[in-house]
Amino acid sequence: MRERLLSLLLRTKRPPLAAGVVCGALCIAAEALLSLFLERVTSGDFLGGIYLLGVLLVSVVWGLGLGLATLAGSAVAFTYFNLPPAWSLSSETHWLWTPLPIFLLVGLVISSIAALARSLNIQADDRRREADLAAQLAHILLRTKDLEAALPPASRLLSRTLGAPDLELRLEEIPEEEDGEALPLTENGARVGTLVLPAGVPEPVRRRLRERMAPSLEALLRAARDREKTEVVLASSRDEIRRIAREQAALRRVATLVARGISSAELFNAVAFEMGSLMEADHVAISRYDPGHVTVLGSWSWRDAGTEKVLPLGSQWPLNEVSVSSAVLETGRPMRRVDYAQSVGKIATWAKKMGVTSAVGSPVVVDGCLWGVMIIFSSTREPRFEGGEERMMDFTELVATAISNAQARAELAASRARVVAAADETRRRIERDLHDGAQQRLVSLGLELRAVEAGVPPPMTELRGRLSHAVQGLTGVVDDLRELSRGIHPAILSKGGLVPALKALARRSALPVELELASVPRLPERVEVAVYYTAAEALTNVVKHANASVVHVTLGMAGAALRLSIRDDGDGGADYGKGSGLIGLRDRVETLGGRLRIMSSVGAGTSLSVTIPIVMTPIVMVPTRDDADRDAAGP
């Protein structure tokens, strides 16, 4: 309550002067009555102090001038009513020696103190208002992203608070106005803005703006400009971080596809899509350099509809025209083109049809040689693809890695296929040489011995017995040789296919073999040979190492793939690295594009499964003359 009363008394705006005169007169009258009343009940030594209350009130509320006037009136009333002789302005002694000088001196001091308190209160209130104004201006100027847009509301707030209409804050330097004043706002010698003061602004307001408000405005504008620049830098940094994050995510996706070893067409289309999305391009093409032209192997366009592409896969584009692909081929570096209007030819015709205005190409280098080019196209007239050459390099390197990996895989597969084919051919040649060479000679030798045995005279029974024993031994050698040749390349596989061949393997196995063989058509010879030798090797391993009691063999078709499964109930623990021949089987199966899997936990037996895709039309094997001779051959 006391603080509220003080605030009311010391308020900045003074009440009307007439109200002050009336208040002073009323105070003097009330003080005179109070002093007359108190004079009757007590001594009058302190009665002069009563008149000082009105002086204090008027000085605080209306200032020093009216306070001094009230002091003069109070002195007259004090002299008239309270100094002897009473009710008179004269005194028995000289007035200088009366209490009146003391009263005047004390009243003057009180009036001065009250006026000073009022002045200080006004200054404090001005400072508070200026601080509030600076805080509000800071709220407006420092929380905006566009400083130009924040200046009008800041100008209106400044005008309303200072009571000076049409004040205006500007950033640019403006010439001195005829009816006003342009107050420059500088910070460390650099102009940060201008405060335009229109004509008619009171001089105290002008002085207040120049002396006290200008430094705050300068600091605020400088901070606002710095914040605006910081916001721009941060926004640019955020955009750059988002762009880098998008690029890294796209690169990770492409790298994952490369690691998975997907087909080249799928990879190229995926890279084209990622590149087009990142660069906001209209069309993207990945092409391979061929003699005289480039061939499109992957493409993407926002105009693509279903399987129809704006840049068809396999389409060829000439290199003897002015184009990005020919420029990249000539220089081996990224190239850019921004004008197709004056060009002629197949590429220029396509570009004009699609509305292409600019293109950027980056070379694809595989193993140090220029393999192809990736090109992004834009149909807008504005400059596009800033830094596109550098951003494309990461993707072209991944494409080059994928191409190099694909070539390495193709060369490895071809090498493995050649090794397997050479081994099969060697096996067939050995089997043929045994059949046509040693086996036929032994058969002939056996016939000759039979003839000699038949010509021995009856009395020579001992010689006849020896010849008969030799013929029997020779017959055993022929049987062993025939069995050996059948193991090298069984005739039953060539004549009957996989099912009869697997049945023969099961009959010859030292362990019981349970067969579950579906009807399988005749397949390419290399597939049948691979499956046969995989089963033969697996059965041999079971007999030698597994300590099993039974083997289960399953064969059948699953869609477009042939599946073979061999399971046993042995010790398990089979491993590629133990020299069990499994590596050779895996190489043979993978040469055909198949997959061989082994599950062999210790104590839980071994399960071997083979899946081979059948991509060729099944063939019908007709027994050859050599096969018939081989089956008819005998001692």
Side-chain angles (χ1 to χ4, degrees), residues 15 101 104 135 189 232 258 312 317 319 352 375 386 432 461 478 488 554 594:
L104 292 175
V232 172
V258 173
W317 304 84
L319 285 172
K352 293 174 184 176
I375 307 176
E386 181 180 356
R432 185 171 57 251
T461 57
V478 172
I488 294 176
T554 303

Side-chain angles (χ1 to χ4, degrees), residues 17-36:
L17 182 61
V21 174
V22 173
C23 180
L26 292 176
C27 287
I28 293 173
E31 292 163 352
L33 292 175
L34 180 62
S35 64
L36 290 175

Side-chain angles (χ1 to χ4, degrees), residues 1-63:
M1 186 67 181
R2 183 179 59 184
E3 294 178 356
R4 188 173 181 181
L5 180 62
L6 288 176
S7 175
L8 181 64
L9 292 175
L10 297 175
R11 59 184 179 177
T12 304
K13 187 176 181 180
R14 297 178 181 180
L17 182 61
V21 174
V22 173
C23 180
L26 292 176
C27 287
I28 293 173
E31 292 163 352
L33 292 175
L34 180 62
S35 64
L36 290 175
F37 173 75
L38 293 176
E39 191 176 20
R40 295 177 181 180
V41 297
T42 186
S43 63
D45 295 339
F46 65 92
L47 295 179
I50 297 176
Y51 290 93
L52 297 177
L53 296 176
V55 175
L56 177 62
L57 174 64
V58 173
S59 298
V60 168
V61 178
W62 281 273

Side-chain angles (χ1 to χ4, degrees), residues 432-497:
R432 185 171 57 251
D433 290 344
L434 288 175
H435 177 271
D436 296 340
Q439 186 176 344
Q440 294 298 329
R441 290 180 63 187
L442 290 174
V443 170
S444 299
L445 183 58
L447 292 176
E448 290 179 4
L449 287 176
R450 286 293 185 185
V452 173
E453 180 185 3
V456 173
M460 303 178 65
T461 57
E462 184 179 356
L463 178 59
R464 182 186 295 272
R466 290 182 177 180
L467 288 174
S468 177
H469 184 270
V471 170
Q472 291 176 0
L474 187 59
T475 302
V477 172
V478 172
D479 291 338
D480 291 342
L481 185 59
R482 181 181 298 165
E483 187 67 22
L484 178 62
S485 65
R486 286 180 178 176
I488 294 176
H489 191 86
I492 192 171
L493 181 64
S494 301
K495 293 191 299 179

Side-chain angles (χ1 to χ4, degrees), residues 390-409:
E390 292 77 11
R391 298 170 66 182
M392 293 172 68
M393 290 299 295
D394 293 333
F395 287 90
T396 56
E397 289 176 359
L398 280 176
V399 171
T401 301
I403 295 171
S404 180
N405 291 344
Q407 290 179 349
R409 285 194 301 270

